[in-house]
Amino acid sequence: MELESLYQEVILDHYKNPHNKGLAPEKDIQVHHVNPSCGDEITLNLTLRNGDVSSVTWDGVGCSISQASSSIMSELVTGKPVAQAMQTLENFSELMASKGTQSGDEEVLEDAVALAGVSKFPARVKCALLGWMAFKDAVVQVNGREEDQT
Amino acid sequence: MELESLYQEVILDHYKNPHNKGLAPEKDIQVHHVNPSCGDEITLNLTLRNGDVSSVTWDGVGCSISQASSSIMSELVTGKPVAQAMQTLENFSELMASKGTQSGDEEVLEDAVALAGVSKFPARVKCALLGWMAFKDAVVQVNGREEDQT
Amino acid sequence: MAREFDVERVRKDFPILSKAMRQGASLKYLDSGATSQKPIQVLDAERRFYTESNAAVHRGSHLLAEEASEAFESSRQIVASFIGAAEDEVIFTKSATESLNIIAYGFGNPDSGSLCLKPGDKVVVTEMEHHANLIPWQQLCKRTGATLAWLSVTDEGRLDLSHLNEIIDSSTKVVAITHQSNVLGTINPLDPIVARAHEVGAVVVLDACQSVPHMAIDVRELKVDFLAFSGHKALGPTGIGILWGRAELLDEMEPSLFGGSMIESVTMETATWAKAPRKFEAGVPNMAQAVGLAAAINYMSDLGMAAIHAHELALTTYALDALNGIDGLNIIGPNSMDSRGGTISFTIDGIHPHDVGQVLDQDGIAVRTGHHCAWPLMRRFGVSGTTRASFHLYNTMDEIDALAAGIKSAQKFFKVD
Amino acid sequence: MAREFDVERVRKDFPILSKAMRQGASLKYLDSGATSQKPIQVLDAERRFYTESNAAVHRGSHLLAEEASEAFESSRQIVASFIGAAEDEVIFTKSATESLNIIAYGFGNPDSGSLCLKPGDKVVVTEMEHHANLIPWQQLCKRTGATLAWLSVTDEGRLDLSHLNEIIDSSTKVVAITHQSNVLGTINPLDPIVARAHEVGAVVVLDACQSVPHMAIDVRELKVDFLAFSGHKALGPTGIGILWGRAELLDEMEPSLFGGSMIESVTMETATWAKAPRKFEAGVPNMAQAVGLAAAINYMSDLGMAAIHAHELALTTYALDALNGIDGLNIIGPNSMDSRGGTISFTIDGIHPHDVGQVLDQDGIAVRTGHHCAWPLMRRFGVSGTTRASFHLYNTMDEIDALAAGIKSAQKFFKVD
Ligand SMILES: Cc1ncc(COP(=O)(O)O)c(C=O)c1O
Ligand SMILES: Cc1ncc(COP(=O)(O)O)c(C=O)c1O
């Protein structure tokens, strides 16, 4: 049944027990993103250290897909060099755009491959991307700031 | 052939030799009307005396129907009591709205019954009415002015 | 002359209702609040226009132009008599959204004479407005320096009228209000609001998107001054809306779209306008859609608006009952049949509306989830969105049973039952 | 991959072409400049949308909403690649008229940043503009205190570029110009005008109503900044138009229609906008019409725009020849095939255009008469109106023969031969 392929156990687990949810007080930057078509929102705090993602915490309201995806994302990128985290994001975006034709590289995407089924439902893709886009925006803003200082 | 029923000889005669065309210098009022959908225009000078239409002269550009109709109108109303002229106008408007179902009262409308065929062509009705509506407007304005003075 | 309302016969006129959904499930279309489905009569009328009479209206002396103009103008007549208006008061727009924006622009144009707002003037809306009847007024206030105020919404999803006379005060020039909420289903009490507005000399703009398709409407009886609705929610084509206004107001109000067919005279430097409705219909109009909307109205009129309304009330009664029987389901909006229409919003404890919608979709049940273009109302109720079921003349009790069953299986799937 | 252009095969796709006119005459439709006829493929695409995928786009998580969104957005893609644009630069409006008005409103909104005009700024148009590309700019100038100037038209119906550099000067912010005149058939020389406009930092708005349906267009090659056209003149449905703008400009420009789907966030007091194209598409859009327009574009692309253009040029060559052979007929506009399209205006000595049109109509020949929404151009040529024959891909040499014969019988009937 398609429903189980969309809502895999690992998604429901992350939904019930989201990781890194709750905003850490220290941060390099805070971003706020909304999904205008459904009203879902995310606030994300990012800290970088020596070119690594040292902490991603987030809070917000959203459906199981957006919550689970944000939780998985926060786990995946934390501790990674920024460039590698951005590459992971690229891979995930590609998977989401695949309209069900890809299953995702588990080496890179780990738990996020469980979201592969989302790509068959165009209306849900933006749910899965909400947290990732917030992360991307946060990185771009921090980097932009650093460039301003040089 | 329908064309001859639309363009009766009397219409073509009035078109070639329009009556009262050329504006008389003396007038109670001058009005200018346009037909926005085709660009036809008429300027009309009206003089009333003792409640009678004493002179209607006009100038302008337009198709055979609008030119002939203005010519016929100017002949029909001149010399009549205003109330009677307005009644003639009513009759003519009704004929134009009849979508080809009426032939017009020749006692009242005289040459204007030749325009009966126009009522079958909705796009041409406004051509036939251009001069008449200018006359009506002129009468209303003169009367309005007189009321202002009392 | 309304016959017995035969929903099964009605359904046969809507080809899409026999579409096979995911995994072969039958379609249970409960999203008419977003857009309605179209009977074959509407599709045929549009096609007939294109294959028999298509030409630019009011612009040619040839037979096709004559027939097209006749089709277009008689569509106007059909709309006018459907809402109790004079023909020249009915303007074809592209949507209710455009209709409402036209009015808001009119009230911001200095050439609209006494209609034009100025600093100190007030526009009153409500907390339950669709964005289309809120943002144009925000923008108007921004342009003119007028103030925006609003009637708030009670916990039951009704307008709070306890401060009506303070909120609609002598500085109020416009009261813009929805007839029926597209989220709550609430039908607003127009009489006291219109009376108060007129007492202070304000005009009343009615957003009738959710009422015109479902009940008999007479603009003179409602005593409002402007009214807007969309064709696509009323069994008509997409790409058409109606703006109705009282003749005197349309006369005074400046147009906001400029171009062909709306003019009286034009030079390189200036232009003057034709009379309404032309003044507000610049360009070659949406002729086929006007014809299609007229066919939709004829379709509804043939069935009888009273019969349609009764059918929808019966559905709503049944649905409220069914939904109230589900633990963990919260109705957002009136939970009784008093002054409400066939739109029901709800939340399910522990499941996000998106996820509810997804599970229902699996069974061919089409509902809408999210903020329904009424974001401030969501905040009022402290929710990020709702699931909304909305009915039209083709819906059945069976579909409501399917909805209730679908919600229960969502609860099971997400383990919140 | 254009095959031989087979007009008889093309005509079979247009049901209206076999309509019986007055007294059984066959239809000779020479009024495509006003609106084009529609191939059955367009009507079928619209119907298929309604019977298989109709739902409000971008607003539901159900299958129909998904399919409707897919149909709508892939239509946008088809339009974009047809004119060489990026997808997000293509906005669905109701008509070219609306498209042009949206741009003019954008340039009058203080929130549009550097785009907003101020006193001392200049807008340049031409003397041959359709009212839709003239009055919005008049109104913009009125609102902002900017000045309107224009390029005049020569006796041959060409733009007079001899004062180009004075007319488009450093104060010029917008140059709004038609690609092909809807009256004269003149195709305007864009290169020098665009070059001059960009030299002084002005944006170029192209009214492509009469070019997009008839020749291959690439917005990047034309180097213009905005472009507008209507679906109904391009074999598409009524009620749809296109606004294209360069991404950076759409980004900067404020929208003018406010409501659902165009927002990012909304409170009772304020709202922020989504990115283009959404920002400019408030409300449930004209979905079926977008799908129909895409089908029209596919239809033309399949035949090949080059083949269509060649066919129309052949018709025009033939028609100019036939009309020039009639005594007392005066062509208004270019009387050679140099830079002109398939629209020919003319007057007949001693017969008013309305009367010419009426006689032609009697034989099933549909032309347009009057000022063609270009009143200032009529004044320029000292005429109250013209008779206009305009061609599209379905026209034939036989129809042009019929036109010439019809004109001669009009001269006979009115005794001016
Ligand atoms: C050159 C030109 N510009 C603008 C328009 C306006 O197009 P529409 O009436 O479809 O908005 C037209 C057609 O009427 C036209 O020919
Ligand atoms: C109450 C209400 N007002 C306005 C609108 C806007 O209608 P449209 O999107 O058709 O312009 C809608 C529907 O979306 C609505 O439900």
Side-chain angles (χ1 to χ4, degrees), chain B:
Chain B
M1 200 252 210
E2 269 188 68
L3 216 51
E4 271 89 24
S5 88
L6 175 63
Y7 294 111
Q8 297 197 10
E9 227 20 82
V10 48
I11 294 179
L12 296 180
D13 287 347
H14 275 277
Y15 177 42
K16 303 259 150 151
N17 300 295
H19 299 207
N20 300 307
K21 188 164 178 180
L23 295 166
E26 66 284 352
K27 59 180 184 290
D28 292 349
I29 196 152
Q30 180 169 92
V31 296
H32 181 77
H33 274 217
V34 299
N35 187 333
S37 61
C38 60
D40 287 353
E41 311 190 34
I42 189 170
T43 306
L44 183 147
N45 282 0
L46 170 71
T47 316
L48 302 181
R49 195 154 45 201
N50 306 325
D52 286 356
V53 177
S54 88
S55 148
V56 169
T57 56
W58 59 281
D59 209 344
V61 291
C63 62
S64 60
I65 303 292
S66 82
Q67 298 287 296
S69 187
S70 298
S71 170
I72 294 170
M73 176 278 297
S74 67
E75 283 220 311
L76 260 178
V77 299
T78 303
K80 286 217 176 85
V82 170
Q84 193 187 337
M86 292 304 259
Q87 184 55 51
T88 306
L89 184 152
E90 277 303 308
N91 283 22
F92 184 71
S93 300
E94 204 182 288
L95 176 61
M96 286 301 102
S98 75
K99 303 193 173 178
T101 61
Q102 294 180 20
S103 54
D105 182 347
E106 198 161 352
E107 298 277 295
V108 179
L109 293 177
E110 305 180 17
D111 274 5
V113 297
L115 289 155
V118 174
S119 72
K120 275 182 265 175
F121 298 89
R124 305 304 297 274
V125 167
K126 57 189 177 346
C127 308
L129 287 174
L130 183 64
W132 296 76
M133 290 301 124
F135 170 69
K136 184 181 183 179
D137 185 26
V139 170
V140 168
Q141 286 195 41
V142 172
N143 286 343
R145 230 193 251 161
E146 276 164 12
E147 271 165 34
D148 283 353
Q149 288 164 353
T150 59

Side-chain angles (χ1 to χ4, degrees), chain A residues 44 56 58 68-78 131-132 135:
Chain A
L44 183 145
V56 169
W58 60 280
S69 188
S70 298
S71 170
I72 294 170
M73 176 276 298
S74 68
E75 282 220 309
L76 259 178
V77 299
T78 303
W132 296 74
F135 170 69

Side-chain angles (χ1 to χ4, degrees), chain A residues 56-108:
Chain A
V56 169
T57 56
W58 60 280
D59 210 346
V61 291
C63 61
S64 60
I65 302 291
S66 82
Q67 299 287 296
S69 188
S70 298
S71 170
I72 294 170
M73 176 276 298
S74 68
E75 282 220 309
L76 259 178
V77 299
T78 303
K80 286 218 175 90
V82 170
Q84 192 187 339
M86 293 305 259
Q87 183 55 52
T88 305
L89 185 153
E90 278 303 308
N91 283 21
F92 184 73
S93 299
E94 204 184 286
L95 177 61
M96 287 301 100
S98 75
K99 302 195 173 174
T101 61
Q102 296 180 18
S103 54
D105 183 348
E106 200 163 350
E107 299 276 297
V108 178

Side-chain angles (χ1 to χ4, degrees), chain D residues 101-110 112 115-116 140 253-256:
Chain D
N101 276 274
I102 289 172
I103 309 170
Y105 274 110
F107 279 88
N109 193 321
S112 293
L115 296 185
C116 185
L140 171 64
M253 194 167 88
E254 280 290 292
S256 46

